[in-house]
């Protein structure tokens, strides 16, 4: 057994107990009553980084929650790795669905249950433990390491992009490594090489200057709900394609290699239908497979609609206003702000007679893609192979982590997403957990990656 493996085996229980300490802190960034708890979590991580031997540790205050920086820079001829993670967590509602309290970490069936266990305290902690294990077992790191850890990821990272832009030299590195994603399955590692971007809009439609009595005016005046349904129906054609002019202009089709990789994942559509209680999976563009539609194709979704009377019983009114929320998942090369403007233009042009509309542009996040044949991606794949005995699969993630693109653009270096969570670990949901099998293996994989890229 190597010194590193022996050190990890000896300290396994201690490492898990330390993770429990971090998980006990209710660092919910979205709720003002937990502002001090978020600060406590930042201080806890900063102290831990100092204790393991990291240097220049800072807790940087923002107008929101703190950013933590630390570094170890003693390998002159080796590359520098910047590790990103976040210590804030999602709210815990509905509490009654938790089998054990969300901030009292509990181990059941070789899993640790707590809010933040997999998203992202558990996965972030792997990197802290990897650095500690190497420093204590070997006295040094094979590469230079920097940490940039935030407390606002769950509320959209409002202050980190400016920090990245203002501190390019301080954060300069050869690769950014992030563990805030998942593996394909138990024992099957995965590298996420693409994330979809995001943009959001809200449309409000108005007709008369007040709600009207349907007996007095029905059949004679426009109904805001009817007009909004008509307008929203114009956004897609009968094959599920987005019907907004120029929406697809910048979309890059998958390469044949990528299509082969996607097929190799063996996504079981029947299992998906069964798990969701559906009879078919026919959403989106009909000319693409289900796997492509949920990962490599852009979407436009109506997330919410409201207008008119919604209380108990009946109220015979003709509503004078109706509203809808829209979001798009965007793929590499699409520009969120450009897409927002295209949709806004479409809604204004297709607005039915007899109404006025107002379209407000809301959040955006850029898509991200790293080529599969990138040297850093291949070193990460080799590290997974060394520890799990299996090459990772390559997958496109349908969701969005906008800060990934921010790192890529601000620092102009590759970003490697090395996830150690598993599907079904209930991130953002009650009974969130993290499989302890991937706790030690994750630490070893990160250490292997550091060793491999020093060459």
């Amino acid at each position: 057994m190597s010194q590193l493996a022996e050190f990890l085996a000896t300290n396994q229980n201690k490492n898990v107990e330390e993770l429990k300490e971090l998980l006990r802190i209710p660092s919910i960034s979205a709720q003002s009553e937990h502002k001090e708890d978020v600060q406590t979590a930042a201080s806890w991580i900063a102290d831990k980084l100092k204790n393991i031997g990291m240097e220049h540790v800072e807790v940087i205050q923002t107008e929101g929650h703190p950013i933590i920086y630390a570094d170890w820079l003693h390998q002159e001829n080796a590359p520098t790795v910047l590790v990103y993670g976040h210590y804030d967590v999602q709210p815990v509602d509905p509490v009654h669905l938790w089998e054990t309290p969300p901030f009292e970490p509990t181990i059941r069936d070789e899993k640790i249950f707590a809010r933040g266990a997999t998203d992202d305290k558990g996965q972030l902690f792997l990197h802290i433990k990897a650095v500690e294990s190497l420093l204590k077992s070997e006295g040094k790191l094979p590469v230079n390491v920097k940490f940039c850890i935030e407390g606002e990821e769950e509320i959209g990272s409002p202050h980190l992009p400016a920090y990245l832009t203002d501190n390019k030299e301080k954060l300069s590195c050869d690769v950014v490594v992030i563990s805030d994603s998942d593996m394909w399955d138990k024992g099957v590692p995965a590298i996420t090489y693409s994330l979809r971007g995001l943009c959001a809009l809200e449309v409000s439609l108005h007709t008369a200057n007040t709600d009207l009595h349907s007996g007095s005016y029905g059949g004679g005046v426009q109904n805001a709900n009817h007009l909004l349904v008509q307008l929203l129906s114009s956004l897609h054609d009968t094959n599920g394609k987005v019907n907004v002019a120029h929406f697809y202009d910048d979309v890059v089709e998958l390469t044949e290699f990528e299509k082969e990789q996607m097929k190799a994942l063996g996504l079981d559509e029947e299992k998906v239908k069964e798990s969701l209680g559906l009879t078919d999976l026919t959403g989106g563009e009909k000319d693409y497979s289900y796997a492509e539609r949920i990962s490599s194709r852009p979407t436009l979704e109506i997330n919410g609609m409201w207008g008119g009377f919604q209380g108990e019983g009946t109220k015979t009114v003709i509503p004078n206003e109706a509203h809808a929320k829209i979001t798009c998942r965007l793929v590499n090369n699409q520009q969120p702000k450009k897409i927002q403007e295209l949709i806004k233009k479409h809604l204004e042009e297709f607005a039915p007679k007899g109404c006025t509309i107002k379209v407000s542009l809301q959040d955006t996040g850029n898509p991200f893609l790293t080529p599969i044949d990138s040297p850093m991606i291949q070193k990460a794949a080799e590290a997974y192979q060394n520890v799990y005995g299996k090459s990772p699969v390559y997958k496109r993630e349908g969701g969005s982590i906008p800060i990934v693109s921010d790192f890529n653009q601000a620092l102009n270096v590759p970003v490697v997403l090395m996830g150690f969570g598993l599907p079904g670990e209930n991130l953002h949901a009650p009974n969130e957990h993290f499989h302890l099998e991937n706790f030690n293996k994750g630490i070893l994989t990160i250490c292997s990656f550091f060793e491999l890229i020093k060459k």
Side-chain angles (χ1 to χ4, degrees):
M1 183 182 289
S2 68
Q3 281 183 301
L4 175 63
E6 185 176 352
F7 179 84
L8 281 172
T10 302
N11 289 275
Q12 181 174 357
N13 291 336
K14 172 179 171 290
N15 290 342
V16 172
E17 289 304 312
E18 288 182 8
L19 175 58
K20 285 182 178 180
E21 288 181 28
L22 178 58
L23 293 172
R24 289 190 184 103
I25 304 171
S27 49
I28 303 172
S29 55
Q31 297 177 339
S32 57
E33 62 264 35
H34 288 287
K35 183 175 177 62
E36 290 305 314
D37 295 316
V38 179
Q39 184 74 49
T40 297
S43 299
W44 190 97
I45 289 175
D47 289 343
K48 185 60 61 180
L49 290 170
K50 290 175 187 175
N51 291 339
I52 68 172
M54 294 298 292
E55 300 168 344
H56 308 113
V57 180
E58 300 176 73
V59 177
I60 300 144
Q61 300 298 332
T62 72
E63 292 182 6
H65 301 303
I67 297 167
I68 303 161
Y69 174 84
D71 62 37
W72 188 95
L73 307 173
H74 297 286
Q75 292 286 13
E76 289 187 13
N77 298 315
T80 298
V81 178
L82 176 65
V83 175
Y84 164 80
H86 66 93
Y87 60 87
D88 64 319
V89 300
Q90 282 277 319
V92 297
D93 302 286
V95 178
H96 71 277
L97 294 180
W98 286 80
E99 293 182 25
T100 50
F103 295 110
E104 292 182 18
T106 306
I107 294 177
R108 302 192 300 274
D109 303 322
E110 296 302 310
K111 307 166 191 172
I112 185 165
F113 287 79
R115 172 58 87 226
T118 190
D119 181 24
D120 178 45
K121 289 179 178 177
Q123 297 201 61
L124 166 63
F125 202 56
L126 299 178
H127 291 271
I128 295 173
K129 282 297 164 183
V131 168
E132 178 188 36
S133 301
L134 286 168
L135 286 174
K136 291 191 175 179
S137 66
E138 301 179 10
K140 61 182 180 179
L141 300 178
V143 293
N144 301 299
V145 175
K146 298 177 181 178
F147 280 92
C148 179
I149 305 168
E150 69 161 325
E152 297 185 323
E153 194 274 345
E154 300 293 6
I155 54 172
S157 303
H159 298 102
L160 188 57
Y163 176 77
L164 299 181
T165 301
D166 294 342
N167 292 273
K168 290 182 180 180
E169 185 174 348
K170 179 178 180 178
L171 298 171
S172 64
C173 59
D174 297 284
V175 60
V176 177
V177 178
I178 301 174
S179 295
D180 193 13
S181 54
D182 57 20
M183 298 168 55
W184 182 247
D185 204 348
K186 183 177 174 63
V188 184
I191 292 177
T192 299
Y193 70 97
S194 173
L195 297 163
R196 288 197 287 194
L198 178 74
C199 71
L201 308 90
E202 184 171 314
V203 56
S204 296
L205 183 150
H206 295 266
T207 53
N209 56 13
T210 185
D211 284 354
L212 298 170
H213 190 290
S214 68
S216 301
Y217 295 95
V221 300
Q222 299 281 31
N223 182 310
N225 282 344
H226 295 180
L227 296 186
L228 182 62
V229 170
Q230 179 183 333
L231 177 59
L232 296 179
S233 295
S234 74
L235 291 169
H236 296 85
D237 68 16
T238 55
N239 290 316
K241 185 177 180 180
V242 176
N243 211 25
V244 174
H246 305 295
F247 183 83
Y248 294 99
D249 283 4
D250 299 320
V251 175
V252 179
E253 295 289 335
L254 291 178
T255 65
E256 288 305 314
F257 177 74
E258 287 180 299
K259 289 181 180 179
E260 289 171 8
Q261 288 291 312
M262 195 169 287
K263 288 180 182 176
L265 294 176
L267 184 60
D268 189 338
E269 294 187 22
E270 291 301 319
K271 188 175 180 180
V272 173
K273 285 192 287 188
E274 183 180 348
S275 69
L276 298 177
L278 294 171
T279 57
D280 58 48
L281 298 172
T282 55
E285 301 168 89
K286 303 299 184 291
D287 294 334
Y288 293 86
S289 70
Y290 174 74
E292 288 176 293
R293 298 199 309 269
I294 65 170
S295 63
S296 64
R297 298 299 299 172
T299 68
L300 188 158
E301 303 287 355
I302 300 165
N303 309 109
M305 299 171 59
W306 67 100
F309 179 66
Q310 298 170 60
E312 183 178 1
T314 300
K315 184 180 181 184
T316 54
V317 296
I318 299 172
N320 75 319
E321 63 179 75
H323 312 267
K325 291 182 180 290
I326 297 169
T327 59
C328 296
R329 297 289 181 174
L330 306 175
V331 296
N332 184 51
N333 229 37
Q334 286 186 299
Q335 301 170 37
K337 293 187 183 301
K338 176 181 176 181
I339 296 298
Q340 282 181 322
E341 292 293 343
L342 292 174
I343 296 170
K344 181 174 184 288
K345 181 180 179 182
H346 175 99
L347 291 169
E348 290 171 345
E349 289 182 354
F350 282 77
K353 291 181 179 180
C355 72
T356 59
I357 69 165
K358 178 182 178 182
V359 181
S360 60
L361 309 183
Q362 301 180 332
D363 296 343
T364 63
N366 288 313
F368 165 78
L369 182 139
T370 292
I372 291 176
D373 58 0
S374 160
M376 288 296 181
I377 291 286
Q378 292 306 306
K379 293 295 184 184
E382 191 176 342
Y384 276 122
Q385 174 72 48
N386 289 345
V387 176
Y388 284 86
K390 184 174 292 188
S391 295
V393 298
Y394 298 96
K395 67 186 182 80
R396 285 179 174 243
E397 176 59 55
S400 307
I401 310 178
I403 199 64
V404 174
S405 180
D406 291 326
F407 271 104
N408 182 238
Q409 293 181 12
L411 305 181
N412 194 29
V413 296
V415 180
V416 179
L417 298 173
M418 297 181 70
F420 297 97
L422 283 177
E425 286 186 335
N426 287 24
L427 65 164
H428 292 206
N431 302 309
E432 180 181 349
H433 56 278
F434 186 52
H435 284 67
L436 291 177
E437 174 189 359
N438 293 322
F439 189 73
N440 277 345
K441 284 187 175 181
I443 296 171
L444 285 169
T445 303
I446 293 163
C447 292
S448 177
F449 178 70
F450 289 172
E451 288 285 350
L452 288 166
I453 67 170
K454 77 176 181 180
K455 300 172 184 177

